[in-house]
Amino acid sequence: MTKPDEISSTERLLDLIRDDGKEEQTASDQSSQKSIGTRLRGIFRNPVSFKKSISVGVDLGHDDLKLIKIHRISDQKFEMLQYARVPFESDITRESPEFYQFLRPVLANFCGSSRNQDIWCTIPSARVETRQLRIPKVNQKQIPNSVYWSYKKLSAFDDKEKLFDFELLGEVDDGDTTKIDVMAYTALQTEIKELKDLFNKAGFPLAGISIVPFAFQSLLRTGRIDAREIHVASLYIGRDWSRIDIFSEGNLMLSRGIKAGVKTMIEALRTEIEGNLFERSIAKSPTKDTARIRAIKKRLKYELDQAYQLFFGVTHDIIPPASDERQQFLKEDTIFKMILPALKRLVRQVERTLRHFSLNYENARVGKIYISSGVNPHERIRDYIGEELGIPTETLNPFVDSSTFVSLTPSPEHLSEQNSFVPAMGIALSSNMLTPNFLYTYKDKQKAARNQRINRGVMVGFLLVMILCVGVSLLQKSTLDEKENQKRQSQQQLENISVRVDQSLVLKLVDDIQSKNREIQLIGQRYFGVAVVGEITDLTPANVRLLSLTAQLGDDPANEKSEKGRNLILSGVVRGDRMTLESTLAGFLMELQNSPLFDQPTISKKSFERYEGVEVLKFTARLKLV
């Protein structure tokens, strides 16, 4: 039976070993990061400026910064120009207010002097809630409200605290009706603002902010992942947590965080190794032996480092010599048994998520699981996950060349480092057409569409005005050409005329014209009387009867003031109603005055008399002949 003082001393020793191990590990990590940071600080000293569509993906990790630069040749064809992994400096953390001072030179070295680059960055998906909704098919303008209230009905949120956005996935047949599948999501406004302000302070404004599940979605939509299965899943094994994302035909359908990761496996490993060491050493030695304690600490740290490298480092990527292969297999088998309980908990959570997807999405079955991680899980971990779930698994390598993707720089040497760039590659391939962007929500898209319609209307109006101007210009040109032809014809006619124009010819033409004018005047004087009679006949109404017509045609027509000038004296009667006789006479005289042959009609005499048994208005009028 163990004594109480032995138990307490053992616990104190365990605490001492753990604390010292953490301090030594932290110091080692800091020195390693510092040396790597010093080496990589001068990366990309000679950046090249590209006048083409360039996008940069930035993945802010736990202790490093991963960047990838992509040239977008077309929507489905890309070139990778550069990539880099830059560990955080030892004296600064991601949450530090001075983090932008570390970020600025890194982005300046990587992006170069050109600012014509779209920079996208990821935020942790743990605080972003995604929901797949199915709403009735409504008018395009009513979709935002329908999605908004459908989401709020399932998960209420404060508009001031969270950003709301959604992406339309397409129409589906739901029984006898057609509905619309939508991926809606909310994110913390403060987190988005902080990240946006961080890059603004660094001098490199962000074009987009999204999460890793949507970055993986971009890999599927751009064809970077050739997924032949309809339903696939992405399992990310992180340090403190993991995440399972399920996609259908390139669209994110379900995302779930799992509170189990590499850290839980390491803790299980530490517990087993500590237990074995104390069974072999501590029980056989007094706890006050300082040299023994130091030896135990060293041995514990060594075995933990060996186990970590064998299962989560780059060691298992290197093929061991034949003599050591048997020994390494035995070590791996022992370590795998130690982490198996933690691994089983992770697999059970993944299995529950897959079962939930199958039950809620018409018995859909995931055809393949793509595994990625910030560390490099051993292939036995990947194989175990696939065997337990009964689904093929694959470790992603985003640097593999294909017909649509060419890497212009050598890829990282180890698979673990290649796999760690999956989020950065996905976010670098993102665009507003493919990827939900927290900086470009549905409200911004509506404004852009409205502006586009206005611009399209202005452009159509401009084209119509332009067409009208071109038509008028062509018409004027045609008229001008016709005038030019007439001018040329007239010039040709003038050139063909042989008659020489001089003063005598002009005088002769003037005499001829004057002679013709005199002849016309004589003809007019000769038939003037006939014209006067005809005009009087046409203007006399039916109820006016002329009794006499006397014309005085003087010899001198210019003498209009003479009593013997050209005058016309009319005598007649007006028949009709007594009340209208005078108005009828006045109207008759007005008609005569309006005639070009007569002027100044005056009444010399008028009286009411009886004529042929009828009372009439008898008048005598005098008119001047023009």
Side-chain angles (χ1 to χ4, degrees):
M1 186 173 181
T2 308
K3 297 180 180 179
D5 59 339
E6 292 180 346
I7 296 176
S8 59
S9 62
T10 302
E11 291 176 350
R12 287 196 302 272
L13 182 59
L14 281 172
D15 294 337
L16 179 62
I17 293 173
R18 289 169 179 167
D19 293 340
D20 291 347
K22 289 180 181 178
E23 292 176 0
E24 292 176 8
Q25 184 177 3
T26 303
S28 175
D29 292 343
Q30 289 178 351
S31 61
S32 175
Q33 290 178 6
K34 188 172 182 179
S35 60
I36 296 174
T38 304
R39 291 196 303 269
L40 294 179
R41 198 170 296 166
I43 291 179
F44 312 114
R45 292 294 185 186
N46 300 313
V48 182
S49 297
F50 294 91
K51 293 184 178 178
K52 47 191 175 183
S53 178
I54 303 294
S55 61
V56 176
V58 181
D59 178 28
L60 286 174
H62 178 73
D63 55 4
D64 61 9
L65 186 70
K66 298 182 183 67
L67 306 99
I68 287 184
K69 184 186 290 187
I70 293 290
H71 169 215
R72 189 182 300 273
I73 300 174
S74 65
D75 290 340
Q76 295 291 327
K77 193 169 184 180
F78 310 91
E79 289 178 346
M80 191 190 71
L81 306 177
Q82 290 173 302
Y83 71 90
R85 175 185 174 273
V86 184
F88 296 162
E89 294 183 354
S90 58
D91 57 345
I92 195 170
T93 62
R94 178 175 170 179
E95 291 76 19
S96 174
E98 292 77 23
F99 186 73
Y100 75 94
Q101 296 178 352
F102 160 76
L103 188 63
R104 179 184 295 163
V106 172
L107 292 175
N109 288 332
F110 189 80
C111 298
S113 59
S114 175
R115 290 294 188 268
N116 189 23
Q117 301 178 6
D118 291 336
I119 302 178
W120 285 64
C121 185
T122 59
I123 61 173
S125 57
R127 290 185 291 274
V128 176
E129 183 178 0
T130 60
R131 286 185 180 272
Q132 197 268 343
L133 306 174
R134 180 166 291 181
I135 63 171
K137 186 178 180 180
V138 294
N139 185 278
Q140 188 73 21
K141 295 181 179 180
Q142 297 175 349
I143 289 178
N145 282 336
S146 179
V147 176
Y148 178 84
W149 293 111
S150 297
Y151 187 96
K152 266 209 164 184
K153 184 178 179 181
L154 296 175
S155 178
F157 64 92
D158 187 354
D159 294 327
K160 296 180 180 179
E161 295 181 357
K162 290 191 176 182
L163 176 143
F164 172 78
D165 195 16
F166 65 89
E167 180 187 31
L168 299 180
L169 303 181
E171 297 182 0
V172 293
D173 293 329
D174 190 1
D176 298 332
T177 60
T178 301
K179 294 188 177 181
I180 302 176
D181 275 348
V182 180
M183 173 53 68
Y185 49 89
T186 56
L188 289 174
Q189 296 271 17
T190 54
E191 190 166 3
I192 296 171
K193 184 179 183 302
E194 288 174 359
L195 186 62
K196 181 180 177 181
D197 293 343
L198 173 65
F199 278 80
N200 286 339
K201 289 173 68 176
F204 292 85
L206 288 174
I209 296 177
S210 195
I211 55 177
V212 175
F214 289 139
F216 191 90
Q217 178 178 266
S218 298
L219 293 174
L220 291 170
R221 291 181 175 180
T222 56
R224 184 81 279 265
I225 298 177
D226 186 14
R228 300 179 182 178
E229 295 80 7
I230 298 177
H231 309 291
V232 298
S234 167
L235 176 60
Y236 177 82
I237 303 175
R239 296 176 183 272
D240 301 321
W241 54 273
S242 301
R243 186 186 60 255
I244 176 74
D245 304 315
I246 301 177
F247 302 84
S248 178
E249 297 180 343
N251 299 321
L252 178 65
M253 305 300 288
L254 181 64
S255 180
R256 182 191 176 196
I258 301 173
K259 294 181 180 180
V262 175
K263 187 175 181 180
T264 58
M265 300 181 198
I266 296 298
E267 289 298 326
L269 195 62
R270 176 187 288 273
T271 302
E272 289 292 331
I273 293 176
E274 284 179 350
N276 292 338
L277 282 174
F278 278 104
E279 285 180 6
R280 296 196 305 265
S281 303
I282 298 299
K284 302 177 182 178
S285 169
T287 57
K288 294 181 180 180
D289 188 349
T290 306
R292 190 68 177 174
I293 293 174
R294 191 177 295 112
I296 294 171
K297 288 193 303 180
K298 186 176 180 180
R299 181 67 179 176
L300 175 60
K301 182 179 182 303
Y302 174 78
E303 292 200 13
L304 281 173
D305 290 342
Q306 288 290 315
Y308 183 86
Q309 289 298 325
L310 280 174
F311 263 75
F312 303 103
V314 298
T315 305
H316 61 80
D317 286 343
I318 303 172
I319 300 176
S323 58
D324 297 338
E325 187 174 355
R326 171 71 177 171
Q327 184 178 1
Q328 180 172 333
F329 176 78
L330 293 175
K331 286 184 178 180
E332 290 177 354
D333 189 61
T334 303
I335 295 170
F336 182 74
K337 291 178 181 178
M338 293 180 181
I339 66 172
L340 189 58
L343 182 59
K344 284 183 177 180
R345 290 196 295 273
L346 173 63
V347 172
R348 281 198 298 269
Q349 294 295 326
V350 174
E351 187 177 14
R352 290 174 184 173
T353 304
L354 296 176
R355 190 182 304 117
H356 173 77
F357 173 75
S358 179
L359 292 175
N360 289 274
Y361 293 90
E362 301 175 356
N363 294 323
R365 177 176 172 80
V366 173
K368 179 178 284 189
I369 298 179
Y370 294 93
I371 297 178
S372 60
S373 176
V375 295
N376 186 20
H378 196 278
E379 60 182 5
R380 293 190 64 172
I381 294 177
R382 299 192 294 268
D383 294 342
Y384 178 81
I385 293 173
E387 291 172 0
E388 287 295 309
L389 299 176
I391 300 174
T393 60
E394 180 180 333
T395 302
L396 282 177
N397 179 6
F399 294 94
V400 176
D401 288 345
S402 66
S403 59
T404 60
F405 184 89
V406 177
S407 178
L408 302 183
T409 184
S411 302
E413 181 180 357
H414 298 290
L415 179 62
S416 59
E417 192 172 358
Q418 295 170 356
N419 182 256
S420 66
F421 277 91
V422 168
M425 180 69 76
I427 204 68
L429 293 173
S430 298
S431 67
N432 288 330
M433 297 295 294
L434 297 174
T435 314
N437 185 356
F438 298 157
L439 298 181
Y440 189 71
T441 64
Y442 73 96
K443 294 181 180 179
D444 300 312
K445 294 176 183 177
Q446 287 178 331
K447 291 179 182 177
R450 184 163 56 251
N451 293 336
Q452 188 176 9
R453 287 194 298 269
I454 294 173
N455 293 337
R456 192 181 294 118
V458 171
M459 183 62 67
V460 170
F462 174 75
L463 289 176
L464 291 176
V465 172
M466 192 167 145
I467 291 172
L468 179 62
C469 292
V470 170
V472 172
S473 176
L474 292 176
L475 180 61
Q476 290 180 343
K477 186 176 182 303
S478 176
T479 304
L480 185 61
D481 292 341
E482 185 179 353
K483 296 292 183 183
E484 288 291 336
N485 291 332
Q486 293 177 358
K487 179 181 176 181
R488 284 194 295 270
Q489 291 175 2
S490 299
Q491 288 176 346
Q492 290 176 359
Q493 291 176 0
L494 288 174
E495 292 173 356
N496 294 332
I497 295 175
S498 59
V499 178
R500 183 178 180 181
V501 179
D502 54 10
Q503 185 177 3
S504 61
L505 179 61
V506 173
L507 293 175
K508 185 178 182 302
L509 291 174
V510 171
D511 291 339
D512 291 343
I513 292 172
Q514 290 177 349
S515 176
K516 288 182 180 180
N517 287 338
R518 286 193 293 270
E519 290 178 0
I520 293 172
Q521 288 177 356
L522 291 174
I523 293 172
Q525 291 176 1
R526 185 182 304 167
Y527 293 102
F528 185 73
V530 177
V532 169
V533 173
E535 185 74 4
I536 290 294
T537 303
D538 292 338
L539 297 178
T540 302
N543 57 348
V544 176
R545 182 175 180 180
L546 297 178
L547 301 178
S548 65
L549 188 151
T550 304
Q552 298 176 353
L553 303 176
D555 296 334
D556 186 8
N559 188 10
E560 296 180 355
K561 297 182 180 179
S562 176
E563 291 293 334
K564 297 180 179 180
R566 295 158 62 90
N567 297 315
L568 179 67
I569 300 172
L570 297 177
S571 178
V573 296
V574 182
R575 292 180 292 187
D577 187 5
R578 179 182 175 88
M579 301 298 293
T580 62
L581 294 178
E582 290 191 3
S583 61
T584 302
L585 176 60
F588 175 53
L589 294 178
M590 290 295 295
E591 290 289 334
L592 293 176
Q593 186 177 1
N594 293 332
S595 173
L597 295 179
F598 310 117
D599 191 16
Q600 298 181 0
T602 58
I603 302 296
S604 301
K605 183 175 63 174
K606 66 177 178 177
S607 60
F608 289 96
E609 299 180 4
R610 295 192 70 82
Y611 178 76
E612 294 181 354
V614 180
E615 186 177 16
V616 297
L617 177 62
K618 189 175 181 180
F619 67 92
T620 300
R622 185 183 184 88
L623 298 90
K624 286 187 178 183
L625 297 175
V626 178

